[in-house]
């Protein structure tokens, strides 16, 4: 079966997405659960240890508190309460911490500190608070305030809005505490007020990673049952966030959740009698030891389990002495020893379970890895045919040999699947799939393996493996080809080091700078030495993927068939440029280098220098709002000037109004100012302005799509298609301008400027082929991903972009807008590549070549990385460094699949028109 190069590449990337998804499901499995969850009735509580006495306790102790109010403030950082901001903006809370009846802790959240996004204006939470507090028909009240997190995502922890929000939260806490105290006077039973946060906030206002600012949250337990601490200003003790579940269960007289891995916060019960203290600690230890037994086969050898058994024996001895009504010092000393032994056992058990609670699903990971590697191998073996002038290749799906090998492989894989799934001790996602779905995956793996074997057999049979085409003995690689090859290989190898992952932006900055120098060398050589000294370029078939596989040349393909596809329809070269154009061509690499250097100063990213000030922080400070307003206005004007030149009149008007709407939206939410506006007191959500822009984005995209359909159906002038593609690209640019924060608009301007310069003075005059242009677009797209301020840290994802134009959380548009805003750099450069090749190339197969090259160069890093993270899965930084990068790679390959499908659709349109 013959397929076009683009269609074949798109199908391969879609299969690769499935493989990566299966690998991710195995790498990030669901937490291990207690087996007793399947039972309908909960187990009775463990009895109090005893040495034969019949008066030991067998029931749960009564609750310690009558009512519990949990006030959860999203993104509440520990220094917002315990630091200078707490003293200034939360005076009542500070008073309770330092002199009130409370216990204060710093609760550490486990990374990645990612939560599902929501929008609630905080007034909705407080609106009925007074009525609820007066009612007596509840035991637990949970208040979740999201405003602080929303402010952080929009303007960061240094925003003046943070102080106002903290003051509001302090007043609400005072209202709740006062109400609980008044109720205690009537009922004579203590209540509990819990102030906590789910995660912290990074210096950029986001969260998701493992920095101290993101994982440290305050945890304050306030109750009249605790002793007052006049003048006590000691530093809060660090505990785990998971400890709260066990503490609340004991406080409410309920069983501890079976899957809880936390330990009881002892200060909350230190005022109780010793027997009750030991009873509470014993219940917690029994629960943790049962969870350990279900998840660790060799649980008896675990230090925590041994400590628990020792504490239980000592506890039984203490009970015997207690029941004998002994009041000697021996009883007191033994009780102190038992308590200390329990606390040590709880700490060790909790630590062991925290390490065991999520296990790797190796089988699912292995199946996903095999699929990805098969796709990569098939792409590599298909290079000679895919990059030939016909841009077609033969996929051997129906040959008899293929059928025999296919059925044999399918039977072997099915047998292995049955063996693995029946002998697996732990849960496995792939084994949990239905036989129809699992069989489909095995059919796919068998088909891919057979295709790889068939391609290898064909190459050996024709004798072209490791052979060079003798027809062109003088063909050699250019300096640009060497840079592309070494850069691609170097980037893939760098993914094996945690430091290079944290600072990957430096790798891409270095690669684009080196690329500019290589282009500079090529331009100067052509200008001063002429075409006689230009190295002969070998064709696509000889060079394969930008000369990465010259040995794969097919000798049976003639020289005319392998003529490289240049991007220019006319014989344009540097020698045909006019005087000033030649000087501009010579200066263009240095202009691009200057633009890249300015962009590097805009957003500090990574880890090593993320804390250092940059232009973005300077512009977003409240003291420089006027400068930011001027910069945003100039950037929007430049965007219109660079985009409108190839749009239709309707799209030009829509683009101008849309960009005006972008500025109005940013002014409405208080980011920028109008010339007649002195301050930004009248702040709104900007819903009308943002939706106004969305309408123009959809209008421009619709106009471009209409032109594409017109060029396909009516077979009209070729320019209609090029205009349609450019209008689609323009619509995406307008959407990016809406979603980018104002200080990031220069990133969009420089992206358009560099594309314009390279189109006019580099790609056209130097007549680069489709493969080289594709790789250059990919490199610059990756560099602009980091120029935006992104990194391999989840905390740098701008969540606020997903809510532009939305007044509530709507999952599909929120996810789409967030993904587009994050990967705008690669998406815009890929869209520009389609538009450029469709309008400038002299061959109809250029888009197929570009799609194949784009799929191949994106498959290299993801294939290598899943092997690396598998081998490094027990690395110290696997969750803080390697796993976030894995999520980025998974999302990137999904976007690559969408891009390749778009390439293929445009290629089909080009073929039919």
């Amino acid at each position: 079966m013959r397929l076009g190069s683009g269609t074949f590449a798109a199908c391969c990337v879609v299969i690769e997405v499935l493989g990566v998804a299966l690998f991710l499901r195995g790498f990030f499995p669901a937490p291990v659960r207690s087996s007793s969850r399947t039972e309908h009735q909960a187990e009775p509580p463990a009895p109090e240890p005893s040495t034969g006495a019949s008066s030991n306790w067998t029931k749960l102790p009564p609750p310690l508190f009558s009512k519990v109010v949990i006030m959860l403030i999203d993104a509440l950082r520990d220094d917002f309460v315990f630091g200078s901001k707490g003293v200034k903006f939360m005076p009542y809370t500070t008073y309770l911490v330092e002199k009130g009846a409370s216990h204060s802790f710093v609760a550490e959240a486990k990374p990645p500190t990612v939560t599902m996004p929501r929008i609630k204006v905080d007034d909705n939470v407080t609106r009925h608070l007074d009525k609820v507090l007066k009612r007596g028909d509840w035991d637990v009240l949970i208040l979740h305030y999201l405003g602080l997190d929303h402010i952080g995502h929009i303007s960061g922890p240094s925003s003046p809005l943070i102080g106002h929000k903290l003051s509001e939260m302090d007043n609400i806490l005072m209202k709740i505490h006062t109400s609980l105290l008044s109720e205690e006077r009537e009922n004579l039973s203590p209540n509990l007020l819990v102030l906590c946060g789910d995660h912290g906030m990074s210096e950029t206002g986001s969260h998701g990673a493992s920095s101290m600012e993101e994982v440290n949250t305050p945890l304050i337990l306030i109750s009249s049952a605790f002793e007052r601490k006049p003048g006590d200003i000691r530093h809060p003790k660090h505990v785990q966030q998971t400890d709260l579940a066990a503490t609340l269960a004991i406080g409410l007289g309920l069983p501890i959740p079976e899957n809880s891995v936390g330990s009881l916060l002892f200060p909350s019960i230190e005022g109780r009698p010793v027997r009750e203290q030991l009873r509470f600690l014993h219940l917690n230890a029994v629960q943790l030891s049962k969870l350990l037994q279900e998840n660790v086969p060799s649980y008896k050898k675990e230090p925590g389990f041994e400590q628990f058994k020792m504490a239980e024996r000592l506890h039984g001895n203490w009970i015997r002495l207690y029941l004998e009504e002994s009041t000697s010092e021996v009883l007191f000393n033994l009780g102190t020893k038992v308590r200390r032994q329990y606390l040590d056992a709880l700490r060790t058990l909790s630590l062991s379970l925290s390490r065991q609670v999520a296990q790797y699903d190796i089988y699912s990971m292995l199946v996903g890895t095999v699929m990805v590697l098969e796709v990569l191998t098939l792409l590599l073996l298909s290079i000679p045919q895919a990059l030939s002038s016909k841009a077609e290749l033969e996929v051997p799906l129906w040959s008899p040999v293929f059928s025999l090998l296919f059925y044999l492989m399918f039977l072997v894989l099915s047998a292995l699947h049955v063996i693995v799934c029946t002998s697996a001790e732990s849960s496995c996602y792939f084994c949990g799939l239905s036989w129809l779905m699992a069989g489909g995956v095995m059919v796919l793996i068998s088909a891919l393996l057979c295709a790889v074997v068939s391609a290898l057999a064909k190459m050996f049979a024709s004798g072209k493996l490791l052979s060079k085409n003798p027809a062109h003995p003088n063909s050699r690689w250019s300096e640009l080809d060497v840079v592309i090859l070494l850069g691609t290989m170097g980037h893939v190898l760098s993914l094996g080091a945690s430091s290079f992952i944290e600072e990957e932006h430096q790798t891409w900055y270095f690669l684009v700078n080196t690329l500019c120098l290589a282009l500079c060398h090529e331009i100067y050589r052509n200008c001063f030495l002429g075409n006689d000294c230009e190295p002969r370029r070998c064709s696509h078939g000889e060079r394969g993927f930008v000369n990465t596989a010259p040995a794969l040349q097919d000798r049976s393909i003639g020289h005319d068939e392998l003529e490289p596809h240049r991007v220019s329809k006319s014989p344009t070269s540097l020698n045909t440029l006019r005087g000033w154009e030649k000087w501009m061509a010579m200066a263009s690499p240095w202009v691009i280098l200057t633009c890249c250097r300015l962009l590097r100063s805009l957003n500090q990213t990574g880890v090593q220098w993320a804390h250092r000030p940059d232009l973005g922080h300077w512009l977003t400070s409240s003291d420089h709002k006027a400068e930011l307003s001027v910069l945003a206005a100039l950037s929007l004007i430049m965007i219109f000037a660079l985009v409108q030149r190839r749009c239709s009149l309707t799209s030009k008007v829509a683009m101008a109004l849309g960009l005006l709407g972008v500025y109005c939206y940013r002014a409405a939410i208080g980011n920028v100012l109008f010339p007649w506006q002195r301050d930004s007191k009248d702040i709104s959500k900007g819903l009308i302005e943002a939706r106004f822009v969305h309408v123009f984005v959809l209008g421009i995209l619709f106009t471009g799509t209409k032109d594409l359909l017109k060029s396909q159906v009516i077979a009209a002038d070729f320019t209609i298609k090029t205009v349609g593609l450019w209008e689609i690209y323009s619509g995406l640019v307008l959407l990016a301008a809406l979603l980018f924060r104002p200080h990031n608009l220069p990133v969009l301007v420089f992206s358009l400027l560099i594309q314009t310069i390279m189109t006019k003075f580099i790609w056209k005059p130097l007549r680069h082929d489709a493969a080289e242009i594709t790789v250059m677009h990919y490199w610059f797209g990756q560099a602009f991903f980091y120029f935006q301020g992104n990194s391999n840290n989840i905390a740098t994802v701008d969540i606020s972009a997903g809510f532009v134009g939305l007044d509530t959380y709507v999952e599909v548009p929120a996810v789409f807008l967030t993904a587009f805003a994050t990967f705008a750099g690669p998406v815009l450069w890929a869209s520009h590549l389609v538009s450029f090749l469709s309008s400038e190339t002299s061959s109809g197969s250029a888009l197929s070549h570009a799609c194949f090259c784009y799929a191949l160069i994106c498959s290299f890093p993801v294939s290598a990385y899943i092997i690396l993270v598998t081998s490094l899965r027990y690395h110290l930084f696997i969750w803080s460094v390697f796993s976030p990068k894995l999520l980025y790679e998974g999302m990137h390959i999904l976007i690559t699949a969408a891009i390749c499908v778009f390439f293929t659709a445009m290629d089909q349109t080009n073929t039919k028109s």
Side-chain angles (χ1 to χ4, degrees), residues 89-105:
F89 300 111
M90 305 187 76
Y92 188 77
T93 306
T94 302
Y95 165 77
L96 292 176
V97 168
E98 296 181 352
K99 300 180 181 180
S102 65
H103 293 294
S104 303
F105 309 92

Side-chain angles (χ1 to χ4, degrees), residues 282 285-286 289 304-312 342 345 349:
H282 177 251
V286 169
S289 64
F305 188 80
E306 296 175 356
Q307 291 173 340
F308 161 64
K309 286 302 181 182
M310 175 63 72
E312 199 171 40
Y342 268 132
L349 285 170

Side-chain angles (χ1 to χ4, degrees), residues 172-218:
I172 295 173
L173 184 134
M174 181 172 62
K175 176 189 295 186
I176 297 172
H177 188 228
T178 303
S179 176
L180 293 179
L181 288 177
S182 62
E183 185 176 330
E184 288 178 3
R185 297 188 189 101
E186 299 176 2
N187 300 333
L188 301 178
S189 59
N191 297 319
L192 176 65
L193 172 58
V194 180
L195 176 66
C196 60
D198 55 346
H199 53 75
M201 183 186 299
S202 68
E203 290 302 323
T204 60
S206 190
H207 57 90
S210 57
S211 67
M212 300 294 289
E213 294 81 6
E214 294 167 84
V215 300
N216 286 347
T217 63

